[in-house]
Amino acid sequence: MNATVTDMFYSRLPVNEIPLSELLMEGHLFYNIPANWHVLITDVKKSTAAVTGGRHETVNLVATGSIVSVLNNAYKSDITIPFFFGGDGATFIVPPLILEPALQALTIHRENTLKNFNLELRVGQVPVERIYADGCSLQVTKLRTSALFSIPVVLGDGLTYAEKIIKGEDYMLSIPAMNETELDMTGMECRWDKIKPPANYDEVVSLLILARQTEKQAPVFKKVIDLLNTLYGNEEKRKPITVEKLKLKATLQKINRETKAKFGKYKPVYLFSTWIKMLIGPLYFKTKAGKTYLNQLVQLSDTLVMDGRINTVISGTKEQRQQLTAALDELEQQGDIFYGMYASGESVISCYVRNMNEKHIHFVDGSNGGYTMAAGMLKKKLATR
């Protein structure tokens, strides 16, 4: 089936090259998601328990797998879609063209996850038309964050509303007839060791910000972004990933986990060939092509997610975090925001590599389940609201 004009909505949006704090105040640069699109959400159930039990790498792997499975379907249709990594799951906004194949892929991924890792992956979808009918908003634009990378920026309460529906006790997913029996996880890689903060920094902060009033989202988020810029410097300066700190982790256990996530079963040939590649990886990264890839990896690291909330992973010092906490507490007391925060000593990264030449994306989280732990803090505040 060929893509329609509506299917190409996000692919054809212009990319803005102004600072995020300015973009947030330019309402005319945001566009309503077409009503015939759909919100897809994946989420590892009881992820906090899994993370505190030491399974944070597996939780991240499952979340990354859901992104890879959906993006490969978008890639086949030659379209781009907004997607958002959340540590223990992911959110997508998809056109009608790939709704059914994406749901089929996620269903297979959910079955593999339960069989191989004994983790239950929640999968759900809500039509954007329903979101609008129930009085919620969902607008998107694009922001260039580096020479090689742009991200979707979403305003409105539509994704939060969809999440509440999908996580409701009475939600039932209607799964389309299955045409595929094997999952296409081409490009998924999770081979890097935990990454220490850049020189002169001593910690990594995973931060979630929710505006208390949807109609005040843009100015409130601007306050927070301006605050981060003041305390930590621009996004480039506070990025937790640097080439100098990247190290491959060539353990058979890690590779075997990736193998089971990609193929749903143990594959000794793939495991052995991947292990060999990782052993010679340090030699490759000393070549010109290898150095180019590492520099691109830093630029293509997804450390800022704007999905109707601010989700970001930053590096800095303990003193900076104390100043940030004091400022966020004040914004919370003023009734502007709710926030969740978790500090750790490292960041973790998982990857989607279509090819080694600019066709790769890298998903960043704080170690020990940074986003998941920050979300736990945020949920407690919302529960006692």
Side-chain angles (χ1 to χ4, degrees), residues 204 219 267 297:
V204 172
K267 281 205 166 189
L297 185 156

Side-chain angles (χ1 to χ4, degrees), residues 169-226:
E169 291 297 326
D170 59 345
Y171 177 79
M172 292 289 291
L173 174 65
S174 177
I175 302 172
M178 301 296 287
N179 298 323
E180 302 290 338
T181 57
E182 290 192 6
L183 187 59
D184 179 8
M185 286 287 203
T186 304
M188 187 171 78
E189 298 182 1
C190 299
R191 303 170 187 176
W192 296 99
D193 201 354
K194 293 178 181 179
I195 304 164
K196 293 290 184 183
N200 302 320
Y201 293 151
D202 49 34
E203 64 178 26
V204 172
V205 173
S206 302
L207 179 65
L208 306 180
I209 304 287
L210 178 66
R212 293 185 65 163
Q213 296 175 291
T214 303
E215 61 273 16
K216 294 184 179 179
Q217 251 182 6
V220 166
F221 287 167
K222 182 182 187 306
K223 283 184 185 179
V224 174
I225 296 299
D226 287 343

Side-chain angles (χ1 to χ4, degrees), residues 209-210 212 220 223-224 227 231 321-339 341 377 381:
I209 304 287
L210 178 66
R212 293 185 65 163
V220 166
K223 283 184 185 179
V224 174
L227 179 63
L231 295 179
R321 173 169 51 87
Q322 290 171 338
Q323 292 176 338
L324 176 62
T325 300
L328 293 177
D329 284 343
E330 185 175 345
L331 288 175
E332 209 167 48
Q333 290 162 10
Q334 292 172 358
D336 286 340
I337 66 168
F338 289 111
Y339 79 92
M341 179 190 293
M377 177 181 176
K381 291 180 177 181

Side-chain angles (χ1 to χ4, degrees), residues 304-316:
L304 174 65
V305 175
M306 300 286 295
D307 61 353
R309 304 184 305 185
I310 296 175
N311 313 255
T312 189
V313 183
I314 59 179
S315 59

Side-chain angles (χ1 to χ4, degrees), residues 256-269:
N256 188 39
R257 192 162 50 224
E258 177 191 315
T259 303
K260 288 182 176 180
K262 288 184 76 166
F263 303 106
K265 58 187 177 182
Y266 176 69
K267 281 205 166 189
V269 174

